[in-house]
Amino acid sequence: MGTFVGTGSLVRLALRRDRIMLPVWIVLFVLTASSSASATVGLYPTISSRVEAAGTFNSTPALVALYGRIYDPTSLGALAMLKLSALGAALVAVLGYIVVVRHTRAEEESGRLELLGATVVGRRAPLTAALIVAAGTNLVLGLLTALGQIGAGLPATGAVAFGLAWAGAGLAFAAVGAVAAQLTSSARAANALSSAVLGLAYLLRAVGDSAGPNGPTWVSWLSPIGWAQQLRPFAGDRFWVLLLLAGFAVLAIGGAYALVARRDIDAGLLPDRPGPASASALLRSPFALAWRLHRTALFGWLAGFVVLGAVLGSIATNVGSMLSSPQAREMIVRLGGEKGLTDSFLAAELGITGLIASVYAVQAAMRLRAEETAQRVEPLLATATGRIRWAAGHIVMSLLGTGVLVAATGVAAGLSYGAAVDDLGQVGRVLGAALAYLPAIWVVTAVVVAAFGLAPRAIMAGWAALVAFLVLELLGPLLKLDQWVMDVSPFTHVPKLPGTAFSATPLVWLAVVAAVFTSAGLAAFRRRDIG
Amino acid sequence: MTTAISVSGLHKSFGRTHALDGLDLTVSTGEVHGFLGPNGAGKSTTIRVLLGLLRADAGEATLLDGDPWRDVAALHSRLAYVPGDVTLWPNLSGGEVIDLLGRLRGGLDPKRRAALLERFDLDPTKKGRAYSKGNRQKVALVAALASDVELLILDEPTSGLDPLMEAVFRECIEEEKRAGRTVLLSSHILAEVETLCDRVTIIRKGRAVETGTLAELRHLTRTSISAELATPPSGLADLPGVHDLDVRGTRVRCEVDTDKLDAVLRHLTEAGVRSLTSQPPTLEELFLRHYEDELTGKHAVVA
């Protein structure tokens, strides 16, 4: 068993490195779950009010596609955790693979693992340590989430089931991350591959959940996120479904170990192809370099967004016919729309899409700092390239990249919706509505750029800001937050198009805010030390 | 003779660490200037100030008659830089990086590029992540040497190169020198500095402690003498400038301050010299002498 030697020390090292990140993540999840629970308890005091709300919800395919089904209409817990069962499980899954990739492939790529590997560290120790940390994190997260929910007044069994569902999803995707880390030779690619698997899993369960009684509901059972939901916390608590999640994790982890045994350190399984001996005539500016560095990720995102847009557009077609009861209308209104049910559905979905596109915005803009800490920026800045020109390359990729993503979603959603209702004039409307989110997304980019210039060590503030905006968007109305708190998020100010009156003023203001933050960041970057 | 680099009284702190503490450095146009110092002495910090990557807290720095902080674009098209630790983009090939850096600097000579790839035995089609440390270093070296620039700033450029490639590097620098280019060469490899450099600056704790040609520096330091005498010497220990004296019968070994050499030799001839070897100090000894007290200081802490 010499290949596991050193696992203990590596676990301690990982915990030492993540001593801030992991607790923050855990606390964030637990607080979100328990505050969501306690807010709902007051909102639906009677069984009849719950049955009504659940019935409305279940008859709205758009919502079912996005969040999943409520399996027990009388259950307060099922209603309370509606938005957090699938979406929350997906976010926990992200944490799962990020932790594993961070302590395996990322370490290997940076060369630090080699340093450790030369000491008494077995070949399987790094992967084992990463999995132990991920599993531990998920268990603690699940347990605390359950306790938080019990504290908020939900039934204990259901709370435990819910916590375990989250933990199980996290563990399953930690295992996905473990496999991805062996297949690819960069942490970026391993995370991208895991994200693609997660996206697919989410989409599969969306298709299965929103299928009618005679439709392909079994598709949900192909997805680990679907399993987390089929555990049915607060609505039957089918603990045996955990076996599926555990079995999946065991199989994937076994696969990862088999791969570890077959490959060399630093190498992925897919061999590196040689590149060109000289650069193409186009690769001659910081912009061209930025395009080279961002294009693979952008194409991946683009493919995802086109699919997402098309699916949303086609679901939108059914919304009008499905919602006939007054409760349903009320529900839709509560979920963010204002008038015109299809329109408000589209507006709500485009809002979510805008938030997801912001993930790309942050990722692309963060590349500024990543290039700096990897010391790749110094040789560039030692050429005639000015700092601003160099930074502009990555910033433009963030700004234009999100533009492309949002436009692609708008066109795809408009086409699939327009084709279904025989009105291709919808393309323009939906595209316009999608583009209205751009200034808000650019504010997110600008927050990252400002942090990069003013406080480069606190660059993670970019992610923190995005998570805060996401929480406000998803839970703000439920938690009945004050308007000024909601106003912190740029997404609050975007007109909920299509369907409401368009007003350019807030968009102009958002663009101004984005410009001010970006300029402040760049001005500070010009004056500060590199490194 | 004009000055390519002129630095005086440079200060730079990072938090509580004083990386540069009144550093002076002058590099004349057309010379190869060795820049020596132990790890953490401030060599890279100085170079990063000269490249406009860091802003000095105080002091003057002039680079090719410009201000390294303000005139970045103008100055950088006239110089090339090789960092000590080259990191490449994992998905760009070495050839692409060479071309990109060359173009951003204002163009590179394709013939020189091809010749250098050949001499350094570098495969330009490999992706950044596939190169070893030495090969990454070669990518940066080829990119710098293939550019038509006046000044080369090299920060430990040969770290990771094998001895064969180190020899190629030396040849290249000799050629650069003949072509009239100025080179600032920070290095730990003293033999390299000794063969390549016209002048040397030794820094320590952010301050220049020694600067001059190797001949001048040798003058400031000690020559080792070992002699076989006709009769046992007397009074040698009382002479000024004699160190580490070891007398065994008629055999004498000692270190002599080079400017006191004359008097010591006269004293030895009085005793009758049978054989005599004298060794001028190597750069290594010179270098070690400047760090000796630091080393002994450390030992004292350990003990």
Side-chain angles (χ1 to χ4, degrees):
Chain A
M1 294 307 275
T3 52
F4 291 99
V5 169
T7 302
S9 323
L10 289 181
V11 169
R12 279 193 294 278
L13 175 67
L15 291 177
R16 167 80 176 73
R17 287 183 61 209
D18 292 347
R19 66 193 184 282
I20 295 175
M21 184 183 106
L22 289 182
V24 167
W25 271 86
I26 291 174
V27 165
L28 214 68
F29 276 111
V30 172
L31 281 184
T32 309
S34 56
S35 60
S36 190
S38 50
T40 318
V41 169
L43 211 54
Y44 301 101
T46 64
I47 290 199
S48 64
S49 66
R50 287 175 219 157
V51 171
E52 207 171 88
T56 308
F57 185 89
N58 282 341
S59 60
T60 312
L63 297 175
V64 171
L66 187 59
Y67 298 119
R69 237 169 229 294
I70 295 175
Y71 291 98
D72 177 359
T74 62
S75 160
L76 180 65
L79 193 62
M81 291 302 128
L82 170 70
K83 284 188 173 181
L84 292 177
S85 71
L87 208 58
L91 291 173
V92 176
V94 170
L95 174 62
Y97 64 74
I98 280 184
V99 165
V100 170
V101 170
R102 178 177 156 78
H103 292 293
T104 53
R105 179 52 72 181
E107 284 297 277
E108 196 168 330
E109 196 184 7
S110 71
R112 286 191 288 265
L113 193 60
E114 209 167 354
L115 193 66
L116 290 170
T119 63
V120 188
V121 168
R123 176 167 191 91
R124 290 168 194 207
L127 179 60
T128 313
L131 286 169
I132 290 174
V133 170
T137 304
N138 279 308
L139 278 179
V140 171
L141 191 155
L143 211 71
L144 291 179
T145 302
L147 288 177
Q149 289 177 333
I150 295 169
L154 294 182
T157 323
V160 170
F162 186 87
L164 286 176
W166 267 13
L171 189 63
F173 276 87
V176 169
V179 174
Q182 312 309 319
L183 290 176
T184 60
S185 60
S186 80
R188 203 176 286 277
N191 280 327
L193 184 60
S194 313
S195 308
V197 174
L198 177 59
L200 182 70
Y202 205 86
L203 214 58
L204 283 176
R205 65 133 287 281
V207 170
D209 285 1
S210 61
N214 302 319
T217 48
W218 53 270
V219 177
S220 295
W221 287 92
L222 298 178
S223 157
I225 300 296
W227 300 335
Q229 289 187 297
Q230 291 306 328
L231 216 99
R232 301 193 179 173
F234 307 107
D237 303 323
R238 303 194 290 185
F239 284 98
W240 61 266
V241 183
L242 274 176
L243 289 177
L244 282 177
L245 283 165
F248 174 84
V250 166
L251 279 180
I253 289 171
Y257 276 119
L259 292 172
V260 164
R262 276 158 191 254
R263 67 179 188 86
D264 296 331
I265 188 155
D266 270 355
L269 273 197
L270 314 166
D272 274 324
R273 279 171 305 161
S278 53
S280 88
L282 294 173
L283 185 58
R284 57 186 319 118
S285 68
F287 289 96
L289 175 64
W291 167 245
R292 256 311 278 284
L293 298 178
H294 288 273
R295 68 179 181 194
T296 318
L298 182 58
F299 288 150
W301 278 84
L302 186 58
F305 267 59
V306 167
V307 173
L308 185 68
V311 170
L312 292 181
S314 73
I315 295 176
T317 320
N318 308 325
V319 176
S321 58
M322 288 295 195
L323 291 174
S324 46
S325 65
Q327 298 94 323
R329 287 163 197 280
E330 194 204 329
M331 183 78 178
I332 277 292
V333 168
R334 187 174 294 141
L335 284 162
E338 288 186 59
K339 62 176 186 185
L341 293 174
T342 311
D343 281 355
S344 60
F345 165 73
L346 277 172
E349 305 298 312
L350 288 175
I352 298 284
T353 315
L355 277 164
I356 304 176
S358 308
V359 174
Y360 172 80
V362 173
Q363 210 178 52
M366 289 275 217
R367 194 70 193 250
L368 286 167
R369 181 64 181 160
E371 290 288 294
E372 185 184 1
T373 48
Q375 294 175 357
R376 286 192 285 258
V377 64
E378 296 183 10
L380 288 176
L381 293 183
T383 68
T385 307
R387 293 184 182 198
I388 300 298
R389 244 166 72 77
W390 168 76
H394 293 284
I395 296 171
V396 164
M397 283 308 298
S398 175
L399 299 178
L400 283 189
T402 49
V404 168
L405 294 181
V406 168
T409 323
V411 170
L415 276 177
S416 71
Y417 174 55
V421 298
D422 270 336
D423 174 14
L424 288 180
Q426 294 297 331
V427 176
R429 273 182 85 228
V430 179
L431 175 61
L435 289 178
Y437 279 92
L438 266 187
I441 298 171
W442 289 347
V443 169
V444 179
T445 300
V447 168
V448 178
V449 176
F452 171 68
L454 293 161
R457 295 202 181 149
I459 191 79
M460 283 296 164
W463 286 122
L466 182 57
V467 169
F469 299 158
L470 183 78
V471 169
L472 286 179
E473 182 80 8
L474 285 180
L475 299 180
L478 182 64
L479 300 178
K480 299 204 173 82
L481 293 176
D482 287 343
Q483 190 57 38
W484 69 265
V485 181
M486 295 298 291
D487 282 347
V488 169
S489 165
F491 295 92
T492 309
H493 304 279
V494 179
K496 302 282 179 278
L497 295 172
T500 53
F502 173 76
S503 156
T505 322
L507 300 186
V508 171
W509 275 111
L510 286 172
V512 168
V513 169
V516 167
F517 272 59
T518 306
S519 318
L522 286 177
F525 174 58
R526 243 169 91 162
R527 275 190 300 273
R528 74 171 170 84
D529 291 342
I530 302 288
Chain B
M1 193 182 277
T2 50
T3 316
I5 297 174
S6 157
V7 169
S8 66
L10 207 59
H11 284 267
K12 178 72 193 175
S13 318
F14 301 104
R16 259 178 284 166
T17 339
H18 297 283
L20 297 182
D21 188 14
L23 182 105
D24 301 314
L25 172 69
T26 309
V27 178
S28 306
T29 306
E31 78 173 0
V32 178
H33 195 102
F35 196 35
L36 301 174
N39 298 329
K43 300 188 298 289
S44 295
T45 306
T46 310
I47 286 176
R48 287 148 60 85
V49 168
L50 288 173
L51 290 170
L53 297 170
L54 299 179
R55 187 177 209 167
D57 298 335
E60 301 282 323
T62 313
L63 181 78
L64 301 173
D65 297 322
D67 180 327
W69 180 259
R70 277 190 294 111
D71 312 327
V72 172
L75 292 178
H76 286 188
S77 48
R78 296 164 63 193
L79 65 82
Y81 163 60
V82 176
D85 200 354
V86 179
T87 35
L88 301 174
W89 295 274
N91 53 346
L92 260 64
S93 73
E96 285 180 305
V97 173
I98 291 170
D99 287 342
L100 175 71
L101 290 177
R103 287 168 185 171
L104 291 178
R105 209 174 273 134
L108 83 185
D109 180 349
K111 259 188 273 169
R112 275 174 70 84
R113 178 189 188 273
L116 285 162
L117 284 177
E118 176 89 6
R119 285 170 77 178
F120 278 107
D121 191 23
L122 178 69
D123 175 3
T125 64
K126 275 199 182 178
K127 296 280 179 72
R129 69 169 80 87
Y131 283 119
S132 67
K133 170 161 173 52
N135 281 328
R136 289 202 302 270
Q137 208 68 35
K138 288 185 201 169
V139 169
L141 274 172
V142 171
L145 293 171
S147 309
D148 186 20
V149 291
E150 299 160 47
L151 171 65
L152 290 169
I153 296 184
L154 312 176
D155 191 358
E156 297 180 28
T158 52
S159 55
L161 291 193
D162 63 45
L164 217 62
M165 290 303 138
E166 243 182 80
V168 173
F169 169 76
R170 285 184 205 181
E171 277 169 36
C172 289
I173 297 302
E174 298 281 4
E175 285 162 26
E176 298 294 320
K177 192 154 102 178
R178 280 198 291 278
R181 295 185 195 174
T182 312
V183 181
L184 178 64
L185 172 65
S186 143
S187 176
H188 277 308
I189 302 175
L190 299 167
E192 182 177 286
V193 173
E194 214 160 8
T195 46
L196 289 176
C197 295
D198 304 303
R199 294 202 314 135
V200 170
T201 295
I202 300 180
I203 73 166
R204 181 183 160 188
K205 290 184 179 164
R207 211 176 292 177
V209 288
E210 208 74 271
T211 184
T213 62
L214 274 175
E216 282 165 359
L217 294 189
R218 285 197 175 115
H219 188 69
L220 291 175
T221 170
R222 299 167 191 171
T223 302
S224 24
I225 300 274
S226 114
E228 175 84 52
L229 303 177
T231 52
S234 62
L236 206 51
D238 302 330
L239 285 180
V242 174
H243 307 270
D244 302 334
L245 181 64
D246 177 18
V247 182
R248 289 180 190 173
T250 55
R251 292 186 64 88
V252 176
R253 299 167 71 88
C254 62
E255 305 274 315
V256 181
D257 286 348
T258 306
D259 54 344
K260 301 284 191 305
L261 203 54
D262 201 25
V264 174
L265 283 180
R266 216 172 290 142
H267 194 90
L268 289 177
T269 17
E270 275 167 24
V273 177
R274 291 280 153 79
S275 80
L276 176 76
T277 41
S278 89
Q279 239 176 5
T282 61
L283 187 57
E284 189 158 343
E285 281 163 328
L286 227 154
F287 187 77
L288 285 177
R289 201 169 74 95
H290 273 291
Y291 295 99
E292 230 161 33
D293 46 337
E294 189 161 296
L295 286 175
T296 44
K298 267 181 203 148
H299 284 307
V301 172
V302 173

